[in-house]
Amino acid sequence: MAVKPYPACHFVHGCTDAALALRARGVRTEDIVRIRALVPQEVVKTVCEPVANKRRPQNGYDAKFSIPYAVATGFVRGRFGLAELEEPALRDPEVLALADRVDYEADPDSGFPRTYSGEVIVRLKDGRELRHREQVNRGAADRPLSNGEIVAKFLENAELAVSASPCGRDARRDPVAGRRRERTRARRGARGLR
């Protein structure tokens, strides 16, 4: 069993992580002239074509299968979670403008189908070209998510449906201690103790 880092098609994960890594290195969207996403040839028709549709997903389902949207979202929002599949995010003008600058190429070094690699190459206004490659996608058998990443993903998703409580915030820092405190409070409340 594998846990995916993003609520999207596995084929977009490598490029999404690559975009997030470049953002973490200081690449700013306003400095980007063009983006090239290298994806396995076998997945091009699923996540890259038709280009016009992939740059303007009409709903969350379309966005889950869009390299331009996933890469642009990673750069602009610094994340790609369930909230990025909702209507306000799908119409974000900054994300859509950057998605228009995302092109794709077949990845000659892909490990597909064993892994879903992805590489993002950005050309900046100052002429530099920066790149980041994910040869093995996170969430794959060879690169599983850590327990902390799984807990963080769960809490991020749960907070979309349930408001964050003081206990929930404790759980984000220390999920085991947070559950212990919650059980202790519940036992004390049941016995009338405060």
Side-chain angles (χ1 to χ4, degrees):
M1 182 175 86
V3 176
K4 300 189 319 183
Y6 306 112
C9 173
H10 273 100
F11 301 160
V12 305
H13 291 199
C15 287
T16 303
D17 273 338
L20 290 168
L22 288 165
R23 184 182 196 268
R25 286 174 38 195
V27 174
R28 300 176 319 162
T29 57
E30 61 267 21
D31 296 331
I32 297 173
V33 174
R34 207 82 197 153
I35 299 171
R36 279 184 297 148
L38 275 60
V39 299
Q41 176 64 49
E42 297 86 349
V43 307
V44 164
K45 290 183 187 282
T46 305
V47 295
C48 298
E49 295 177 349
V51 174
N53 294 1
K54 298 302 180 181
R55 288 181 175 158
R56 291 289 183 283
Q58 295 303 300
N59 53 52
Y61 186 79
D62 288 349
K64 291 178 182 188
F65 294 89
S66 169
I67 284 285
Y69 182 78
V71 168
T73 297
F75 274 114
V76 172
R77 294 177 158 241
R79 50 181 277 125
F80 190 57
L82 289 174
E84 283 67 44
L85 298 172
E86 297 295 325
E87 191 61 35
L90 294 170
R91 303 296 161 243
D92 182 329
E94 190 176 359
V95 170
L96 297 177
L98 190 57
D100 284 338
R101 291 180 266 159
V102 177
D103 298 313
Y104 72 89
E105 293 178 15
D107 182 356
D109 300 317
S110 168
F112 189 86
R114 190 175 186 288
T115 61
Y116 306 133
S117 59
E119 185 169 350
V120 170
I121 305 163
V122 293
R123 192 172 76 240
L124 303 175
K125 288 179 180 176
D126 66 8
R128 290 182 298 147
E129 191 172 272
L130 303 175
R131 62 177 59 214
H132 183 87
R133 180 172 188 78
E134 296 285 328
Q135 185 61 35
V136 178
N137 57 297
R138 286 187 317 124
D142 294 342
R143 195 173 169 208
L145 297 183
S146 70
N147 288 341
E149 289 172 314
I150 294 169
V151 168
K153 179 181 178 181
F154 169 79
L155 291 172
E156 179 181 304
N157 291 338
E159 286 176 359
L160 293 174
V162 180
S163 65
S165 68
C167 181
R169 285 191 292 276
D170 289 343
R172 182 176 290 279
R173 283 189 295 266
D174 184 350
V176 174
R179 285 193 304 272
R180 282 188 197 129
R181 281 190 289 276
E182 185 177 318
R183 285 194 305 265
T184 300
R185 286 183 191 133
R187 282 195 303 269
R188 285 181 179 159
R191 292 185 294 200
L193 301 174
R194 295 281 169 202

